[in-house]
Amino acid sequence: MLGKTDQPATVNRLSVATARFLATPGSPPVEWRILPGLTEYEAAVAMMEERVARIADGTAAETVLLVEHPPLYTAGTSANAADLVDATRFPVHASGRGGEYTYHGPGQRVAYVLLDLKRRRQDIRAFVAGLEEWLISTLAEFQIRGERREERVGVWVRRPERSVGLDGTVAEDKIAAIGIRVRRWVTFHGVSLNIDPNLSHFSGIVPCGIREHGVTSLVDLGIPIFMPEVDMVLRARFEEVFGKTVSAA
């Protein structure tokens, strides 16, 4: 998945990859908000829409909204109907984000990232690279090497224990997806990190339109971890890339 925006992107993402995507000096910290339980997708979208409008107007702080969803599929603006393998398995939601089909469900941390690029850099590909850097550095805390791929947005892990392809390539799985939208230079939608979701639920779609690679999670990779522990690391690594946060009231 990538992003939907009215602004053209003219350079490849890896050429603008950066470990820092900070706001201008004097900007307020980013509000960090974790919603308990499972959040319905429509409710999350409504919260994002309201907040993005206020951030763009200068009446609200930038925000990261962390949620878990009940099992569902979302279709991005580039979704191919043929990639919806089982339309009856879970609810399917049209999404305004860029990209194709993806799955959300319990055990997956979804982080909706609502940042004002006018306070940072008006560079969407660099922002996506910043999101990848955030996820890669988070995974590194759990001794997992996440990697970028220019032709595939998201974060990938190599699976050398599986058979090598005919061309000699090592098998890879996706552990984190990225799909964004930008309105008035404010970002929304965001990232999803697989901690311990039911990986069989991905079989109802072709995730992000990619058939030749699978999906994995921290627990699938042998890291027994719980959501609150991951959230702590996500916040610390977010601050390294994007700047200070403050817990939402």
Side-chain angles (χ1 to χ4, degrees), residues 70-145:
L72 58 92
Y73 299 128
T74 66
T77 55
S78 301
N80 182 342
D83 290 341
L84 182 58
V85 178
D86 187 350
T88 63
R89 188 171 188 180
F90 299 124
V92 180
H93 299 268
S95 171
R97 62 163 173 79
E100 303 179 56
Y101 283 103
T102 195
Y103 165 78
H104 294 314
Q108 181 190 73
R109 173 53 84 204
V110 176
Y112 293 123
V113 183
L114 318 180
L115 299 183
D116 186 354
L117 299 190
K118 296 189 301 295
R119 304 180 191 179
R120 297 170 184 273
R121 265 188 289 163
Q122 291 170 281
D123 186 330
I124 294 157
R125 288 184 182 267
F127 170 65
V128 172
L131 294 176
E132 289 172 334
E133 179 65 28
W134 172 32
L135 293 164
I136 288 168
S137 63
T138 295
L139 291 169
E141 288 292 307
F142 303 107
Q143 291 73 54
I144 294 173
R145 181 180 176 181

Side-chain angles (χ1 to χ4, degrees), residues 155-174:
V155 177
W156 301 81
V157 294
R158 301 187 188 207
R159 306 300 301 269
E161 72 277 11
R162 296 216 301 266
S163 59
V164 176
L166 295 177
D167 60 354
T169 57
V170 176
E172 296 184 345
D173 286 339
K174 186 177 231 181

Side-chain angles (χ1 to χ4, degrees), residues 23-43:
T24 54
S27 296
V30 177
E31 289 194 3
W32 189 266
R33 184 179 181 190
I34 302 175
L35 298 189
L38 299 180
T39 301
E40 294 295 333
Y41 186 73
E42 297 93 336

Side-chain angles (χ1 to χ4, degrees), residues 180-197:
I180 67 164
R181 186 170 183 176
V182 180
R183 180 184 298 154
R184 296 170 62 190
W185 287 110
V186 178
T187 67
F188 57 124
H189 297 279
V191 307
S192 58
L193 175 61
N194 296 333
I195 298 169
D196 189 21

Side-chain angles (χ1 to χ4, degrees), residues 32 66 109 134 138-139 142 193-195 218 223 225-237:
W32 189 266
L66 286 87
R109 173 53 84 204
W134 172 32
T138 295
L139 291 169
F142 303 107
L193 175 61
N194 296 333
I195 298 169
L218 278 89
I223 308 298
I225 198 77
F226 295 100
M227 191 77 72
E229 297 171 84
V230 177
D231 286 345
M232 290 177 61
V233 176
L234 279 169
R235 185 170 183 175
R237 301 289 82 79

